[in-house]
Amino acid sequence: MATEPADEQTANEIEKLSELITHARVVLWDFDGPICRLFAGHKAERVAAGLVQWLAGRGLHGLLGDTESDAEHDSLDPHAVLRAVDRRHPGSDLVTELEERLTQEELRAATSALPTAYADPLIRTWTAVGSRLAITTNNSPRVVRAYLDGRGLTGCFAPHIYGRTPDLHLLKPDPHCLNRALNAMGAAPSAAVMIGDSPSDLAAAQRAGVPFLGYARNGQKAKLLRAAGAGCVVGSLEPLLQVLRG
């Protein structure tokens, strides 16, 4: 008797997953997380710290706020640095140069990125069964193409790779990149599904009207996604592959 609720929950999860996949004619993928761990060998915190140090060398001390703790700085995300500079100096040469520095760091990270388990065969299988795929990410599209080229996956997505643009206020959770993908592919939001690993991915999908499938490589990420309202979260892409092949 003790196992029945768990079994029932598992069945419900599989049913939700199958429904999402079955109805999806277009699949919008976040990049860093569902497809690979971009900063697996080139730590994001170190990149962020390098950007902050570069800014400090230009007299921009305390850009992220004087009240932030050391722990907050240690867990800083490079995109948080980029957003902070853009808020204070929108459209400036400083923002342009900082964004290019981040892109170069992402390109370096792409050479040691760790592919997400089952992502490659899932991408190829989804393409083979006739679904159309797009990338919708806050990373540079140059970085995405470099990684996909290295894995032989570019043909599964091109030309539908929608990443960071000079308009940094349009980064997710803004749905801009999702809307670009849907418009370019002539797809209704209800005919798509987005695979993402962060609350900002979920928020962008909700604002675009796209059903959302959460990918969480650990319990903490799953907790954050569920707390944000994600109704379907998987800890592995393997069940998706099984549903497609079935």
Side-chain angles (χ1 to χ4, degrees):
M1 293 294 292
T3 61
E4 286 181 2
D7 291 342
E8 184 178 348
Q9 184 178 13
T10 300
N12 289 339
E13 288 291 332
I14 293 173
E15 186 177 351
K16 283 183 184 178
L17 191 60
S18 298
E19 188 173 340
L20 276 174
I21 292 174
T22 301
H23 287 84
R25 297 294 175 263
V26 168
V27 186
L28 309 180
W29 289 75
D30 181 38
F31 175 63
D32 185 10
I35 290 180
C36 69
R37 286 180 61 191
L38 179 59
F39 292 102
H42 189 65
K43 298 300 182 184
E45 296 84 0
R46 193 176 305 161
V47 170
L51 296 177
V52 171
Q53 186 177 7
W54 180 80
L55 290 165
R58 278 144 186 80
L60 295 169
H61 297 278
L63 184 68
L64 304 175
D66 297 329
T67 60
E68 292 189 46
S69 67
D70 290 341
E72 287 172 319
H73 278 290
D74 288 343
S75 61
L76 195 59
D77 183 277
H79 289 124
V81 180
L82 199 57
R83 288 177 191 274
V85 178
D86 185 59
R87 281 195 298 270
R88 296 194 183 190
H89 306 277
S92 66
D93 290 343
L94 175 67
V95 172
T96 300
E97 188 172 354
L98 185 67
E99 194 278 331
E100 178 59 26
R101 291 183 72 89
L102 176 54
T103 296
Q104 292 302 319
E105 293 288 357
E106 288 177 339
L107 285 168
R108 277 189 281 274
T111 64
S112 58
L114 184 65
T116 298
Y118 300 101
D120 288 20
L122 178 59
I123 289 166
R124 291 192 174 97
T125 302
W126 231 322
T127 302
V129 298
S131 293
R132 293 181 294 160
L133 278 55
I135 300 285
T136 51
T137 178
N138 283 348
N139 296 113
S140 167
R142 289 157 57 190
V143 175
V144 175
R145 289 190 187 95
Y147 176 83
L148 295 178
D149 284 348
R151 304 293 299 177
L153 294 170
T154 306
C156 296
F157 294 96
H160 301 296
I161 297 172
Y162 305 96
R164 191 168 61 238
T165 73
D167 298 314
L168 298 179
H169 65 284
L170 296 177
L171 292 174
K172 290 178 290 186
D174 192 284
H176 177 68
C177 62
L178 282 74
N179 289 332
R180 287 176 66 203
L182 293 172
N183 289 337
M185 302 171 89
S190 60
V193 65
M194 182 186 183
I195 303 176
D197 73 334
S198 71
S200 65
D201 292 326
L202 172 61
Q206 289 174 331
R207 292 170 66 181
V210 175
F212 181 79
L213 172 59
Y215 166 72
R217 64 180 175 85
N218 57 43
Q220 178 61 24
K221 283 188 171 289
K223 189 179 297 184
L224 289 172
L225 284 170
R226 292 189 188 281
C232 189
V233 179
V234 296
S236 168
L237 298 179
E238 184 181 14
L240 283 70
L241 189 59
Q242 292 175 344
V243 169
L244 283 182
R245 288 176 172 174

